[in-house]
Amino acid sequence: MSGLQDRTRYDPAEVEPRIVARWLRAGIFHPEPAGDAAENYSIAIPLPNVTGVLHMGHALNDSIQDCLIRFHRMRGQRTKWILGTDHAGIATQTQVVRALAEVGTSREALGREAFIERVWRWREDYGGQIIEQLKRLGASCDYETERFTLDDAYARAVQHVFVALYEKGYIYRDRYMVNWDPGSRSAISDLEVEDEEVTDTLYYIDYPLASGSGAITVATVRPETMLADTAIAVHPEDDRYRRLVGETAVLPLVGRKLKIIADEYVKPEFGTGALKITPGHDPNDFEIGARHGLAQVSVIGEDGAITDEAPERFRGLTVEQARDAVVAELREQGLIARTDEYVHEVPFSQRSGERIEPLISLQWFMRMDDLAPPAIDVVRSDRVRFWPQSYTRVYLNWMENIRPWCISRQLWWGHRIPVWYRGEELHVGMSPPDGEGWERDPDVLDTWFSSGLFPFAALGWPQETPQLRAFYPTDALVTGREIVFLWVARMIMLGLEFTGEIPFTDVYVHSIIHAPDGRRMSKSLGTGVDPLALIEGGPRPSGFAEGGEFPPYGADAVRWGMLAMSSSQDVNFSEERIAQGQQLTNKLWNASRLILLGVGAQARAAAMPATVEDRWILSRLHRARTEVASRIERFDFSHAALALYDFVYGELCDWYLELVKPRLRAGEGELAATLLHVLTETLSLAHPIIPFVTEEIYSHVPGAEGLLAAGIDGAGADGAGSADAAVAVPAADEAAEASLGRVIEAVQALRAWRNAAGVKAGATMPARLAAQGYEDTGEHLARLARLHFSEDGGEPVTLVPVPGGAVEILASEHLDLEASERKRAARRAELEREIERSERKLANPGFVSKAPAAVVAAERAKLARLRAELEAS
């Protein structure tokens, strides 16, 4: 208890760094491998980018994971949180290219080897930032075995997988339509593309018929790609064009003959119902072209410039320049019939933000036909469970319609594809082939290819390591919905293929936290919250309605707030929740000081709970432990956090400690044992959610040994022993709960009456107890409600209903009945006015239909609260 007397205020800025250092010195986050995965507990972290920094998504995700890890470690399980960082090919290369541009050079000027060396130096300089931020949050990862997805051993595992899949015929090379990202100058997968609404000009262009009998008009938002047209398509049932099927048209500006074909893909209601077919620059046209054997002309190159397959006057132009030039010539020739404004969805790269350019490109692909069915079966059979369950159907729908995966990327930073070429010869292997003249494929693998191996490759696979035996398969995966397909599905497929085991049994898909006004959190919008600004104090985002700075809430407050906000639905950020977490840590600190300073260094002999209130708190503690554990096991972290808050703030502090203060001041020995038991168990209960304050308090508990984070049952790495004395604890005590429940309800009713009657807070009122069931608790009722029970005093001036009867309030100088009635009448009138205003608002169809759903729900809740108060007044 040294120093507690002087520490009246909990200071997270002083405590938290000191506690983290103590945890790391003790090595409790690094379990030595023993046993097997069935008896141990492990989680693989969603790999943060090596150059990343902590954002609110990380704060939520990592708070959830750490809650699970600490919960199972406290249960005595050997627990490992597998840590790693991702080389993040496109993101990292983009940052280094930008840095080179700032000093007047480029990756091309450096050359491949020198550029890669520069990226490694960049990683050394900036790569550890997010790891240090994880420590600041209190994440109990195994920092001693941190992996990087370009480590030598990890790289060998990636090459092993590529070669094995190639030898099985799952990996192949082909020319196919891909999503070309002009920003990163690389192909990207379908899952890295997001649609955005764009307003374009829809051009109606006349294509003259070769017969000279007129023209067929097509509508397009991309006139520049007409230079690559190879056909015109109409719907076979469209009577407007049935007679033209089989004829030819002449491609304006180029002169190429285009066959008019019939295909059911064409939508007669779009534009004119006639569709220009450009297999080289549109994925749907690519499929139509394959069905009809059309030529593939590519007029846009990977550098974004017009190629030599276009007429000479357009070659070398950018896409935008070519569009302007094409439209100008078409207007000059009178071939633009009309233009319309057209709003539609356009694909953009999540990586660079550039508009996707569909191109036919020679790439490496992975066919999923044989990998997907086992990954579907393990979810259908509940071997892998999604939480919430709705994501099961989302996962299955995607897996049942899965397409080949383009796994090659035109980058320099990443896992270089283990393929070599010499003329027509091709070698795929873990090492270069013998002989001269071989050149290695310049492309690298998609980042998600390597990260898909993380749960087992991070543990030493393909070797049979002790770590792999002890901690694979892992138990749970905590993730956001945006990477269910990018990462989760691929881990399941690759895990089953290469280990024969599912990589995890439970997948918890958490909510996304938006800005307070519902907009997405974004640095560019001024709505992104920096978790460290919440923890240590810092500026509020510029896009927030309230300016200024966040106070230093501390990591525990942020963790509790994140968990309390978490949900299966997206939620808006609430600073009030973070502040509530701070209130909880302060309340627990103050309650612990009261207990520890009150009991001092008293011997902690075994004791039976001495009073009904002792039995009550032990029963409520048992129920809180059961409730919190049940919620965590079902991935219901919001209700787990709120249940902890209700127990600590309400039952422990507001009721039990208030009830036992006289006994504590008297130095009652039996109470000391019960108090220390309750405190120790409460710290254990709260630790997975708010680990810093609980660890700091635990260090002051008499008899406490080791670290709370290691598990107080002695299962921790440093042999932490139990700080608890032998206290006979019933599982639940219905009689004690009923008895104290009556007292609490009666006190609440009496406090409400006092407030309504205008009785001063410190005044003690004379009263008679005319109720049953308070034989052992009458003194508690009188003290907490500030009453003096007496059999004298004449007729009561009013009655306050309580469970089992009533409390008769006697005449007193503290009570002015007339003033009380006036105050009550004024409050009733005010309530009636507020109810009328609320009812009018909710009866307004404009408010109900146009206001945000949360605002309407809050108004309805307010009306219900006002009506309840009016009825009770």
Side-chain angles (χ1 to χ4, degrees):
M1 287 177 296
S2 172
L4 270 183
Q5 293 90 338
D6 301 325
R7 296 173 61 188
T8 57
R9 187 177 65 87
Y10 177 66
D11 181 6
E14 185 278 325
V15 170
E16 291 171 354
R18 175 164 50 79
I19 292 295
V20 167
R22 192 172 171 216
W23 286 333
L24 293 175
R25 282 197 306 272
I28 59 173
F29 301 160
H30 173 64
E32 291 301 327
D36 59 31
E39 61 189 277
N40 299 329
Y41 187 86
S42 61
I43 292 176
I45 196 170
L47 289 157
N49 287 356
V50 66
T51 57
V53 294
L54 202 68
H55 56 61
M56 289 303 284
H58 292 129
L60 173 61
N61 183 280
D62 296 325
S63 294
I64 291 170
Q65 290 180 87
D66 197 49
C67 179
L68 288 168
I69 286 289
R70 289 179 184 272
F71 176 75
H72 285 275
R73 190 184 292 120
M74 295 291 289
R75 285 185 159 184
Q77 287 181 273
R78 191 174 299 275
T79 303
K80 183 180 180 73
W81 188 357
I82 305 168
L83 176 63
T85 54
D86 198 329
H87 65 278
I90 292 177
T92 305
Q93 178 162 312
T94 299
Q95 288 198 47
V96 178
V97 166
R98 190 178 297 129
L100 290 174
E102 290 174 358
V103 295
T105 187
S106 67
R107 67 175 177 131
E108 290 81 8
L110 287 180
R112 184 166 191 147
E113 288 189 14
F115 176 78
I116 290 173
E117 288 178 9
R118 182 70 65 92
V119 183
W120 276 105
R121 291 204 300 273
W122 175 276
R123 184 244 176 180
E124 291 300 318
D125 291 342
Y126 300 101
Q129 186 174 359
I130 197 165
I131 300 301
E132 294 307 310
Q133 291 172 336
L134 285 172
K135 295 174 184 176
R136 187 66 186 84
L137 186 66
S140 56
C141 307
D142 188 348
Y143 296 99
E144 294 183 36
T145 57
E146 177 192 341
R147 301 300 301 271
F148 179 50
T149 55
L150 277 178
D151 287 343
D152 289 343
Y154 201 102
R156 286 193 295 273
V158 173
Q159 291 179 337
H160 178 99
V161 168
F162 183 96
V163 173
L165 291 173
Y166 176 82
E167 290 174 348
K168 292 188 75 169
Y170 294 173
I171 287 179
Y172 61 97
R173 198 180 190 213
D174 196 6
R175 286 182 59 82
Y176 200 78
M177 178 68 65
V178 298
N179 302 302
W180 188 261
D181 176 6
S184 63
R185 300 279 287 274
S186 174
I188 60 174
S189 75
D190 292 344
L191 298 174
E192 295 168 300
V193 175
E194 58 185 13
D195 290 338
E196 296 181 18
E197 191 175 90
V198 169
T199 301
D200 274 328
T201 300
L202 186 63
Y203 296 90
Y204 291 77
I205 304 171
D206 293 334
Y207 284 49
L209 296 173
S211 64
S213 59
I216 183 169
T217 304
V218 303
T220 180
V221 295
R222 300 207 63 192
E224 68 279 7
T225 64
M226 69 182 292
L227 303 175
D229 288 356
T230 56
I232 294 173
V234 297
H235 194 278
E237 303 300 322
D238 193 335
D239 292 336
R240 295 173 295 175
Y241 301 112
R242 198 188 301 268
R243 64 181 175 80
L244 295 179
V245 174
E247 289 198 30
T248 58
V250 179
L251 177 59
L253 313 186
V254 178
R256 188 163 52 243
K257 296 290 182 66
L258 306 179
K259 188 175 181 180
I260 300 173
I261 61 176
D263 194 282
E264 292 187 346
Y265 170 79
V266 179
K267 299 174 178 61
E269 66 277 7
F270 172 76
T272 64
L275 187 68
K276 64 188 270 316
I277 303 302
T278 318
H281 295 291
D282 183 277
N284 297 311
D285 292 3
F286 180 85
E287 299 295 339
I288 293 172
R291 288 195 291 271
H292 294 271
L294 301 177
Q296 298 171 347
V297 178
S298 296
V299 297
I300 301 173
E302 294 180 352
D303 60 357
I306 302 301
T307 71
D308 289 348
E309 293 197 60
E312 186 174 356
R313 62 190 181 279
F314 299 111
R315 294 172 190 170
L317 298 179
T318 66
V319 169
E320 293 77 13
Q321 291 169 339
R323 180 179 306 145
D324 292 342
V326 166
V327 169
E329 285 198 31
L330 290 171
R331 288 193 191 281
E332 187 178 333
Q333 296 179 25
L335 295 177
I336 295 182
R338 76 174 201 269
T339 60
D340 289 337
E341 189 177 85
Y342 183 59
V343 179
H344 63 136
E345 297 286 319
V346 172
F348 284 81
S349 167
Q350 290 179 340
R351 298 293 189 179
S352 71
E354 297 275 347
R355 188 165 176 164
I356 289 296
E357 193 63 68
L359 297 180
I360 294 174
S361 180
L362 184 61
Q363 301 282 346
W364 286 94
F365 294 88
M366 184 191 298
R367 61 170 49 93
M368 317 304 290
D369 312 60
D370 295 309
L371 292 169
I376 291 171
D377 290 343
V378 295
V379 172
R380 279 188 174 148
S381 63
D382 277 347
R383 288 181 61 200
V384 175
R385 298 181 295 267
F386 279 87
W387 305 76
Q389 194 173 9
S390 57
Y391 281 97
T392 301
R393 177 42 51 195
V394 173
Y395 170 90
L396 291 174
N397 283 343
W398 186 75
M399 291 293 289
E400 288 163 357
N401 297 281
I402 197 167
R403 294 159 53 93
W405 173 14
C406 177
I407 58 173
S408 50
R409 297 291 181 268
Q410 288 62 57
L411 304 171
W412 287 354
W413 174 247
H415 292 276
R416 195 165 179 181
I417 290 175
V419 176
W420 288 260
Y421 309 99
R422 184 170 66 181
E424 296 299 315
E425 293 181 86
L426 179 145
H427 171 81
V428 178
M430 296 286 290
S431 55
D434 295 331
E436 300 293 328
W438 290 94
E439 290 189 9
R440 189 168 184 177
D441 195 302
D443 292 351
V444 302
L445 288 164
D446 180 6
T447 294
W448 297 105
F449 186 97
S450 52
S451 61
L453 317 180
F454 182 66
F456 52 95
L459 298 172
W461 183 92
Q463 279 71 44
E464 273 291 329
T465 65
Q467 290 276 354
L468 189 67
R469 286 192 297 272
F471 299 112
Y472 186 85
T474 66
D475 291 271
L477 180 76
V478 179
T479 185
R481 64 171 178 261
E482 69 276 7
I483 57 173
V484 167
F485 308 134
L486 281 166
W487 192 46
V488 179
R490 289 159 178 174
M491 281 191 289
I492 295 174
M493 287 187 281
L494 294 170
L496 288 168
E497 175 70 18
F498 287 98
T499 72
E501 298 275 3
I502 54 175
F504 31 71
T505 53
D506 293 286
V507 180
Y508 174 62
V509 183
H510 58 71
S511 54
I512 292 175
I513 297 182
H514 296 294
D517 60 3
R519 290 182 294 167
R520 67 184 177 90
M521 282 201 173
S522 162
K523 187 178 291 186
S524 61
L525 293 175
T527 55
V529 176
D530 177 2
L532 290 182
L534 287 168
I535 293 172
E536 299 174 349
R540 288 188 174 87
S542 60
F544 274 29
E546 183 180 355
E549 295 204 344
F550 292 120
Y553 286 112
D556 280 337
V558 172
R559 291 167 60 108
W560 187 92
M562 290 291 98
L563 295 177
M565 279 184 256
S566 69
S567 163
S568 60
Q569 305 294 323
D570 289 355
V571 294
N572 293 349
F573 173 75
S574 168
E575 189 176 345
E576 289 76 13
R577 283 296 195 201
I578 307 296
Q580 196 175 357
Q582 185 184 49
Q583 292 164 8
L584 175 63
T585 59
N586 288 338
K587 192 81 167 180
L588 183 58
W589 174 260
N590 292 333
S592 301
R593 285 187 75 251
L594 175 70
I595 292 171
L596 294 173
L597 294 175
V599 301
Q602 294 184 46
R604 304 182 59 207
M608 287 290 291
T611 64
V612 65
E613 61 266 24
D614 293 346
R615 290 164 42 219
W616 175 79
I617 194 60
L618 292 172
S619 183
R620 297 308 300 164
L621 174 60
H622 167 77
R623 293 190 191 277
R625 291 186 68 87
T626 302
E627 172 73 1
V628 171
S630 173
R631 295 293 188 178
I632 291 175
E633 288 167 346
R634 288 180 287 152
F635 302 96
D636 185 357
F637 300 98
S638 174
H639 286 98
L642 294 171
L644 172 66
Y645 185 95
D646 289 344
F647 173 75
V648 171
Y649 217 97
E651 293 171 333
L652 176 61
C653 297
D654 287 354
W655 293 108
Y656 180 67
L657 292 182
E658 290 300 318
L659 286 166
V660 301
K661 276 182 180 177
R663 297 168 58 202
L664 187 60
R665 285 193 289 266
E668 184 182 309
E670 292 83 355
L671 174 63
T674 301
L675 280 172
L676 289 173
H677 170 83
V678 169
L679 176 59
T680 304
E681 291 297 303
T682 299
L683 297 176
S684 172
L685 167 67
H687 181 78
I689 297 174
I690 47 173
F692 288 104
V693 68
T694 50
E695 188 73 77
E696 178 68 359
I697 294 167
Y698 182 74
S699 69
H700 295 284
V701 173
E705 299 176 2
L707 289 163
L708 181 61
I712 60 172
D713 60 356
D718 66 347
S722 174
D724 189 27
V727 175
V729 183
D733 193 325
E734 301 285 353
E737 289 196 30
S739 179
L740 256 294
R742 280 192 297 273
V743 171
I744 291 170
E745 190 176 339
V747 169
Q748 290 170 333
L750 288 160
R751 286 174 176 172
W753 170 83
R754 290 173 64 104
N755 182 60
V759 177
K760 291 181 179 179
T764 300
M765 296 289 299
R768 277 195 298 267
L769 181 60
Q772 302 298 316
Y774 298 89
E775 292 77 15
D776 297 327
T777 57
E779 288 186 15
H780 291 321
L781 175 60
R783 186 167 61 83
L784 294 181
R786 292 195 177 276
L787 301 176
H788 171 65
F789 286 140
S790 171
E791 293 302 318
D792 301 325
E795 290 296 314
V797 294
T798 189
L799 299 178
V800 179
V802 297
V807 171
E808 299 175 349
I809 304 298
L810 305 179
S812 165
E813 60 182 0
H814 301 299
L815 179 62
D816 184 338
L817 286 177
E818 290 183 2
S820 174
E821 183 55 36
R822 286 194 301 272
K823 182 178 178 181
R824 178 171 166 272
R827 179 55 183 162
R828 285 182 61 86
E830 182 183 0
L831 287 169
E832 288 167 352
R833 288 193 298 272
E834 291 186 30
I835 288 170
E836 183 183 358
R837 279 196 296 268
S838 184
E839 287 174 338
R840 280 202 309 271
K841 184 181 285 189
L842 289 169
N844 180 355
F847 171 74
V848 175
S849 62
K850 295 178 182 178
V855 174
V856 176
E859 189 64 31
R860 287 186 173 131
K862 173 186 170 184
L863 178 59
R865 188 173 64 252
L866 293 170
R867 285 171 172 167
E869 184 180 347
L870 180 64
E871 184 178 350
S873 66

